Amino acid sequence: QVQLVESGGGLVQPGGSLRLSCAASGSLFSPKTMGWYRQAPGKERELVAVVTSGGSTNYADSVKGRFTISRDNAKNTIYLQMNSLKPEDTAVYYCHAVILGYQYWGQGTQVTVSS
């Protein structure tokens, strides 16, 4: 059974940084794409950043230049380095993976940006 285990959320002041990690396990196949989505209270879940197995990346306009997604294919792990965090980045961040056409989600990790 595929599992996505996230870590790294927490409380940070505006302008600060956090690094999220997500490790995929339980599959004989590596995810084709992995990424991060987020959902703030009262809002729909939205894409933050994705990375393919080949290293191609895509970011939401709201995080370009501040967030960096990276991937370690040997560990089936992705990272999201979040810099210059803003209060509007506050949300539950979910890891997402596509393996053989099936979508998987992590349990979510809370990121709160507040002074």
Side-chain angles (χ1 to χ4, degrees):
Q1 182 161 345
V2 174
Q3 285 190 313
L4 303 179
V5 179
E6 302 138 334
S7 61
L11 172 65
V12 64
Q13 292 186 342
S17 298
L18 281 175
R19 188 190 193 215
L20 305 183
S21 301
C22 172
S25 63
S27 174
L28 294 177
F29 302 94
S30 295
K32 181 177 181 180
T33 64
M34 295 185 73
W36 294 94
Y37 289 70
R38 67 186 181 187
Q39 187 166 19
K43 295 188 177 181
E44 294 187 352
R45 192 172 296 189
E46 62 176 3
L47 170 72
V48 177
V50 294
V51 58
T52 68
S53 57
S56 297
T57 59
N58 190 35
Y59 295 90
D61 288 342
S62 59
V63 307
K64 284 181 181 177
R66 300 188 298 123
F67 292 10
T68 302
I69 190 169
S70 59
R71 178 169 177 164
D72 185 336
N73 286 329
K75 297 180 179 179
N76 284 336
T77 298
I78 60 170
Y79 308 92
L80 186 68
Q81 179 66 43
M82 304 185 293
N83 298 328
S84 302
L85 282 161
K86 305 175 180 180
E88 51 263 43
D89 294 318
T90 296
V92 178
Y93 284 68
Y94 295 92
C95 182
H96 175 261
V98 178
I99 303 174
L100 297 180
Y102 291 92
Q103 298 191 52
Y104 300 91
W105 293 93
Q107 79 283 0
T109 184
Q110 177 70 45
V111 171
T112 302
V113 184
S114 175
S115 55

